[in-house]
């Protein structure tokens, strides 16, 4: 049986089993979209109205609407969070350490 794989949406074709990690810009954009979606959900944006009866289906659609609106805002330039993270160096390249974790540096 073949293992199930979930491709990265923007992944380029490569050798079987390879995974392309997102760039810093893609990562901070995804973070900004996730942040905005969380803010929207906490504000109650897209919350189902009581007049429709509620239910799990309406809650799921409301969540998808918040996610889609957040992605659209980021695609249109966002609120500046991604740029601030990039310029602040929050996503600096981390070189793997040759020393085991917890070992004293020489």
């Amino acid at each position: 049986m073949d293992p199930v794989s979930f491709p990265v949406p923007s992944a380029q074709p490569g050798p079987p089993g390879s995974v392309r990690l997102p760039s810093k810009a893609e990562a901070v954009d995804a973070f900004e979209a996730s942040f905005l979606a969380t803010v929207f959900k906490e504000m109650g944006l897209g919350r189902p109205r009581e007049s429709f009866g509620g239910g799990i289906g309406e809650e799921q659609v409301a969540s998808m609407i918040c996610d889609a609106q957040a992605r659209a805002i980021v695609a249109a330039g966002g609120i500046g969070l991604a740029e601030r993270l990039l310029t602040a160096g929050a996503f600096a390249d981390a070189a793997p350490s040759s020393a085991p974790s917890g070992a004293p540096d020489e």
Side-chain angles (χ1 to χ4, degrees):
M1 177 179 269
D2 292 332
V4 176
S5 64
F6 299 98
V8 176
S10 60
Q12 300 295 323
S18 66
V19 175
R20 185 186 74 80
L21 296 176
S23 68
K24 289 179 190 177
E26 291 170 333
V28 294
D29 283 349
F31 176 79
E32 184 172 8
S34 176
F35 171 79
L36 286 172
T38 301
V39 169
F40 294 159
K41 290 171 191 171
E42 290 298 317
M43 289 173 33
L45 185 66
R47 185 174 293 146
R49 299 175 193 258
E50 298 298 321
S51 61
F52 290 115
I56 190 72
E58 287 185 47
E59 291 174 19
Q60 290 173 343
V61 169
S63 177
M64 289 188 293
I65 289 171
C66 288
D67 292 340
Q69 288 174 331
R71 286 192 309 271
I73 289 172
V74 170
I79 60 171
L81 179 61
E83 290 82 16
R84 296 282 289 187
L85 289 171
L86 283 174
T87 58
F91 287 86
D93 291 328
S97 173
S98 58
S101 61
D105 294 334
E106 296 181 31

